[in-house]
Amino acid sequence: MPLATPLKNLDRELARFHGRLKAGGIFVVLLAAALLGRTFYLQITQHDYYIQRAENNRISLVPVAPNRGLILDRKGRILAENYSAYTLELARAQPHDLEATLTEVAKLIEITPGELRRFRRLLAESHEFETVPLKSKLTDEEVAILAANRYRLPGAEVKARLFRNYQAGPGMAHVVGFIGRINDRDLKSLRESGREQNYRGTVHIGKTGLEQSYETLLHGRTGFDQMETDASGRAVRALSRIPPVPGKDLRLYLDEGLQAVAEHAFGDYMGGLVALDPNTGGVLALVSKPGFDPNLFIDGIDPETWKTLNESPERPMVNRVLRGIYPPGSTIKPFMGLAGLELGVRKPEDTIVDPGYFSLPNSSHQYRDWKRGGHGIVDLRRAIAQSCDTYFYKLAVDMGIDRMHDYLQKFSFGEKTGIDLDGESAGLLPSREWKQRRWKKVWYPGETVIAGIGQGYHLTTPLQLATATAMIANGGKRIEPRLVQAVRDPLTHVWQPQPVVVHEQLPLKPEDLAVVRQGMLDAMRPGGTAAAAAAGAPYTIAGKTGTAQVVGIKQGARYDAGSLSRKNRDHALFIAYAPAENPTIVVAVMVENGGHGGSTAAPIARAVFDYYLTGKRPGNMKLEGGSDASD
């Protein structure tokens, strides 16, 4: 008999349904409560926060780079200025085919292989969201073509940029320097110094010369435009503006006309010249030949040109006045003579008999004088005027290398002068302690002998020679050389003079200084080593010639420039100041492989003196200065 089918328990089913309905209702209420709670949190509690974020999305701060300060010479002639030009730049972060864009651009305007190589190099060095310049200084026609075809060039943008122009060209390259694009090393330095924020929107930074050493003053302060943007990020309208503050202008002691005369006077020779005002330390001229065109570096120099400059045997990138180190040769003799008098090793009336050579006791080796047969009876004044080597050989031995070192150091030898340019060399002023520390060797008497005439280990820069000569001219004041005379505030337009920095005043005895000065005066008179260079001058010159050996000469042999290649010939040096009675200018000249100081270096200094003191310029020279700027 079949079993009966049990009936459903409706009450239990209904209770189960109501339980599920209640649970679902509670879940819905909880979700609604959570939604309401979140809404309250976002709309009420976090209202100010999200309003600010929305405002930030709507408003963008666009950095506005400041105008870079000008660099002027002492007469207001512009040496470095700014100009505006259009640049075609590509954004690497945009979602587009970069190579396709480059191809399209090349169909519209000319892109040279050099510009393309520079673009790819800058692209590799740039950051993700930077635009990279492809072609600079676009013509109006090129700008119009690119604007009309913008829809075909995704990621391409024409921007107005400020560029730097160096009107003086190669002659001022080592003084003014140049700017270049900011690289990773520059960014790191800006971050470490806390200046990165002020360089937003800035593409260039000073790399060398005054552009580098006065970068903080020249750059100025970045401004910002507050722009309202739409959902696509396009600018709708300007809301407010914090204007940029232009960089400060620099006025130099340097005279562009004097600089051009000095450069012209070198002719085909290489070397360096520096002219100082002995009373202020102001640099009136600073020439390093050969130079280079600083305009090549502004927007990135191409690799071939850089390789040519960097690997040239003439080393045009080296500032010979600051970094070139050479034996001072006989230009050290006035300082040696002053040391002998001040230290009590010599008296002005003391004399020697010069047979044309000097030998150490118990030695047969002869240290030759430049004049075969010698100078006869010589005192200090005549020894300076005729550059008697034998006199200074003996003086050096009597003085000793350590006393020599300590005294010459007071004249800035072996130390940086402190000029307001980076990269200065300290040169080398030898001593026993230095040789032991550097070479682990003892000092030999013969090394003292040749140190007395500025040979051996002693190395100096033309700037050190000029600074030391200025101390003879001004009575012993060691003044820090300076290029910048005044700084002009961009807001007040007032020139603020820069202070003269005097490091020390040597307590020189007037009678000792007078003997050395008289010897330098006699060097420029008949019978002196530089008499020809001073002939006919309407002012008095006090100077000293010098010759620094490049290659050694065997014992008993004589120097013959004609038998040597030019690169092995002696360097020619000359130091001088004028007018001798009341000096206003000091000059130090070094001519690489120029031979004798009296015949090569001294005439260059004479051209500088003539222009500075009388306004006379070489007859075959046409000056091409920069434009004038009013104060």
Side-chain angles (χ1 to χ4, degrees):
M1 183 175 179
L3 298 175
T5 303
L7 296 175
K8 289 185 178 180
N9 189 332
L10 294 178
D11 292 336
R12 186 171 59 187
E13 290 291 333
L14 187 59
R16 184 179 298 169
F17 171 75
H18 283 297
R20 291 173 179 172
L21 185 62
K22 187 182 293 184
I26 293 172
F27 182 70
V28 170
V29 170
L30 290 174
L31 285 178
L35 181 60
L36 288 172
R38 182 63 177 170
T39 302
F40 180 85
Y41 175 77
L42 294 176
Q43 296 292 331
I44 306 300
T45 306
Q46 295 292 307
H47 175 267
D48 293 340
Y49 171 74
Y50 284 103
I51 282 291
Q52 184 64 43
R53 290 195 62 178
E55 192 71 10
N56 289 342
N57 288 336
R58 183 177 70 88
I59 298 174
S60 297
L61 288 178
V62 179
V64 181
N67 285 342
R68 195 170 180 86
L70 305 178
I71 300 178
L72 317 172
D73 84 338
R74 67 188 297 121
K75 296 180 179 178
R77 290 173 290 202
I78 296 176
L79 305 178
E81 63 178 346
N82 307 307
Y83 69 95
S84 180
Y86 287 105
T87 298
L88 175 61
E89 303 187 13
L90 301 185
R92 58 180 299 173
Q94 296 293 330
H96 64 271
D97 187 339
L98 189 61
E99 293 301 323
T101 301
L102 287 172
T103 301
E104 289 298 320
V105 168
K107 294 177 182 178
L108 300 172
I109 62 175
E110 181 185 8
I111 303 296
T112 66
E115 290 170 333
L116 192 58
R117 286 193 299 269
R118 185 191 63 185
F119 170 78
R120 297 193 185 284
R121 176 173 58 82
L122 293 175
L123 185 69
E125 298 173 354
S126 66
H127 297 279
E128 183 179 358
F129 296 101
E130 288 182 342
T131 57
V132 182
L134 173 60
K135 187 177 182 67
S136 300
K137 304 171 189 175
L138 298 170
T139 65
D140 291 342
E141 182 181 358
E142 289 172 330
V143 171
I145 291 173
L146 293 170
N149 293 273
R150 186 177 179 183
Y151 69 95
R152 298 170 54 189
L153 307 172
E157 187 175 356
V158 175
K159 293 185 176 182
R161 295 284 192 187
L162 282 176
F163 289 88
R164 200 71 156 163
N165 179 45
Y166 300 107
Q167 295 193 22
M172 290 284 188
H174 291 289
V175 176
V176 176
F178 58 82
I179 62 172
R181 288 183 65 86
I182 295 174
N183 56 31
D184 289 339
R185 185 173 59 182
D186 298 323
L187 281 174
K188 181 180 178 182
S189 176
L190 291 172
R191 290 192 190 104
E192 291 174 349
S193 62
R195 295 184 293 146
E196 183 181 15
Q197 183 70 13
N198 193 40
Y199 278 77
R200 289 184 59 189
T202 300
V203 178
H204 297 97
I205 195 170
K207 298 288 186 177
T208 65
L210 292 171
E211 293 278 28
Q212 179 188 33
S213 55
Y214 283 87
E215 169 64 29
T216 303
L217 295 180
L218 288 167
H219 177 261
R221 188 170 67 242
T222 298
F224 291 92
D225 284 339
Q226 193 177 47
M227 305 295 295
E228 184 178 4
T229 59
D230 60 18
S232 301
R234 290 190 295 267
V236 176
R237 63 190 175 103
L239 301 177
S240 64
R241 190 169 203 255
I242 301 175
V245 178
K248 295 183 177 181
D249 298 334
L250 307 180
R251 186 175 68 205
L252 310 185
Y253 285 99
L254 189 142
D255 185 319
E256 186 187 23
L258 186 68
Q259 180 91 357
V261 166
E263 185 181 10
H264 178 268
F266 268 88
D268 295 331
Y269 281 108
M270 298 185 296
L273 175 148
V274 60
L276 302 177
D277 181 335
N279 304 302
T280 65
V283 178
L284 306 173
L286 194 157
V287 173
S288 178
K289 284 198 68 178
F292 60 91
D293 185 0
N295 293 296
L296 295 171
F297 292 84
I298 294 173
D299 208 36
I301 189 170
D302 64 89
E304 287 75 16
T305 304
W306 168 248
K307 183 178 180 180
T308 300
L309 288 173
N310 202 40
E311 297 180 2
S312 170
E314 295 182 343
R315 303 178 300 158
M317 299 295 293
V318 175
N319 187 335
R320 286 164 162 81
V321 173
L322 268 68
R323 297 188 59 82
I325 50 176
Y326 311 88
S330 293
T331 59
I332 203 67
K333 291 174 181 177
F335 308 99
M336 285 290 297
L338 195 55
L341 295 175
E342 291 283 301
L343 296 175
V345 179
R346 288 289 185 275
K347 296 178 181 178
E349 62 274 14
D350 289 344
T351 61
I352 67 162
V353 177
D354 173 23
Y357 64 88
F358 172 81
S359 294
L360 287 165
N362 303 317
S363 173
S364 61
H365 182 84
Q366 295 182 350
Y367 297 89
R368 293 168 308 204
D369 192 285
W370 69 267
K371 184 176 182 181
R372 191 187 298 268
H375 296 265
I377 299 175
V378 181
D379 60 7
L380 176 57
R381 177 174 162 180
R382 188 179 176 205
I384 293 174
Q386 298 186 3
S387 199
C388 175
D389 293 332
T390 305
Y391 184 97
F392 291 97
Y393 287 147
K394 182 170 176 52
L395 174 59
V397 172
D398 292 344
M399 190 183 307
I401 188 61
D402 292 322
R403 282 203 291 177
M404 190 189 311
H405 168 275
D406 293 345
Y407 192 83
L408 293 180
Q409 193 174 47
K410 298 177 182 179
F411 285 85
S412 82
F413 293 112
E415 298 179 354
K416 295 181 179 181
T417 65
I419 191 173
D420 49 344
L421 285 179
D422 292 336
E424 182 183 6
S425 172
L428 174 59
L429 186 60
S431 65
R432 293 179 191 275
E433 185 273 334
W434 166 82
K435 188 179 180 185
Q436 181 61 39
R437 184 181 71 252
R438 178 66 178 84
W439 301 107
K440 300 293 188 291
K441 293 181 179 179
V442 299
W443 186 268
Y444 296 107
E447 294 170 328
T448 301
V449 175
I450 61 174
I453 62 166
Q455 298 289 352
Y457 295 113
H458 192 173
L459 298 172
T460 188
T461 67
L463 181 60
Q464 288 174 333
L465 282 174
T467 303
T469 305
M471 294 178 70
I472 292 179
N474 65 29
K477 287 189 294 185
R478 183 174 172 182
I479 303 178
E480 199 169 272
R482 275 283 178 271
L483 279 158
V484 176
Q485 181 184 35
V487 176
R488 179 164 57 185
D489 187 280
L491 301 179
T492 64
H493 303 289
V494 174
W495 285 104
Q496 301 166 341
Q498 298 299 286
V500 175
V501 181
V502 180
H503 283 284
E504 62 179 310
Q505 170 71 58
L506 292 185
L508 302 177
K509 296 176 183 177
E511 59 272 23
D512 293 341
L513 189 59
V515 173
V516 172
R517 285 174 170 173
Q518 192 61 51
M520 295 177 70
L521 270 170
D522 292 346
M524 310 304 297
R525 293 170 175 167
T529 55
Y539 49 85
T540 53
I541 305 172
K544 182 70 191 77
T545 57
T547 303
Q549 283 187 350
V550 174
V551 295
I553 303 175
K554 294 181 179 180
Q555 180 76 19
R558 284 284 165 179
Y559 175 78
D560 180 11
S563 65
L564 298 173
S565 63
R566 182 164 176 173
K567 68 178 182 179
N568 289 327
R569 294 175 186 172
D570 293 345
H571 298 320
L573 300 101
F574 183 67
I575 57 174
Y577 58 88
E581 301 81 11
N582 184 26
T584 58
I585 180 173
V586 168
V587 174
V589 185
M590 188 285 306
V591 182
E592 288 187 0
N593 313 117
H596 298 290
S599 59
T600 308
I604 296 175
R606 171 65 187 273
V608 170
F609 285 140
D610 279 350
Y611 181 81
Y612 188 75
L613 297 173
T614 70
K616 178 184 176 182
R617 67 182 66 171
N620 60 344
M621 176 189 174
K622 180 181 179 181
L623 293 179
E624 297 179 355
S627 60
D628 292 339
S630 63
D631 291 353

